[in-house]
């Protein structure tokens, strides 16, 4: 007979998987549950939180978000420097 797990237990188990250095088999063994059950919870959480292809963990999604923001900032800085170089080149030519 399948065991019933509370929503809080599921969330805590998935959070453990997303902890650094933790794997699904390790956490499942520690909690005394099926690896495939835990893997299903992790995949469901990935889909719900991100809407992206299963396989990305919370850490990867946070890094992707951070890197995209950094790229936008660097592109803005590059554009400001390009305009400044044009301005100074124009001023020097007078």
């Amino acid at each position: 007979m399948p065991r019933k797990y509370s929503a809080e237990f599921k969330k805590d188990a998935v959070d453990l998987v997303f902890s650094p250095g933790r794997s699904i088999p390790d956490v499942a063994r520690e909690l005394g549950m099926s690896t495939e059950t835990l893997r299903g919870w992790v995949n469901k959480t990935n889909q719900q939180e991100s809407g992206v292809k299963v396989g990305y963990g919370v850490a990867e999604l946070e890094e992707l978000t951070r890197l995209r923001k950094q790229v936008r900032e660097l592109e803005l800085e590059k554009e400001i420097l390009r305009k400044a170089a044009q301005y100074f080149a124009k001023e020097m030519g007078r």
Side-chain angles (χ1 to χ4, degrees):
M1 183 169 165
R3 289 176 55 179
K4 290 284 186 178
Y5 297 99
S6 70
E8 183 179 359
F9 179 85
K10 290 177 183 181
K11 181 190 175 309
D12 290 344
V14 170
D15 288 345
L16 283 173
V17 171
F18 291 138
S19 300
R22 304 299 297 268
S23 69
I24 292 173
D26 291 339
V27 173
R29 187 172 31 258
E30 182 179 314
L31 297 176
M33 61 181 300
S34 163
T35 300
E36 291 310 310
T37 299
L38 182 55
R39 187 179 318 280
W41 297 347
V42 169
N43 289 341
K44 185 175 180 182
T45 299
N46 282 337
Q47 289 173 334
Q48 289 173 344
E49 289 183 357
S50 65
V52 297
K53 184 178 175 183
V54 174
Y56 292 109
V58 172
E60 288 89 355
L61 293 173
E62 289 173 351
E63 181 180 20
L64 180 61
T65 301
R66 181 185 61 78
L67 291 172
R68 285 182 175 165
K69 180 180 177 186
Q70 186 178 8
V71 166
R72 282 191 307 271
E73 291 171 356
L74 291 170
E75 287 173 343
L76 180 61
E77 290 173 5
K78 183 176 89 172
E79 181 64 20
I80 290 169
L81 290 171
R82 185 186 64 76
K83 288 180 180 181
Q86 287 176 345
Y87 172 80
F88 286 115
K90 183 178 172 183
E91 287 296 313
M92 297 294 283
R94 285 189 179 186

